[in-house]
Amino acid sequence: MTVDQGGHGAYLVGRNACANDRVTAYLLGGKLPARDVECAAETPARQQAPAETGVIG
């Protein structure tokens, strides 16, 4: 399995669902993918800033 996330990472720290799901399946049940897996990079969800109310003082 390869993960195109850049840098070095560890299970669950990288938060790449493609990779983490497959590692979890292996750790819990010994299930290996039928073929090589290439996981694309994932970006974290953008956090929205709180909306401004427009109220002054």
Side-chain angles (χ1 to χ4, degrees):
M1 179 171 63
T2 60
V3 181
D4 186 20
Q5 200 67 39
H8 291 92
Y11 173 59
L12 296 179
V13 174
R15 297 192 174 118
N16 184 298
C18 170
N20 289 338
D21 291 349
R22 284 160 178 85
V23 171
T24 299
Y26 174 72
L27 292 175
L28 293 178
K31 182 180 177 187
L32 292 173
R35 56 184 171 81
D36 290 344
V37 175
E38 295 178 11
C39 296
E42 292 184 6
T43 57
R46 293 183 180 172
Q47 295 180 355
Q48 296 180 352
E52 293 188 28
T53 62
V55 176
I56 299 176

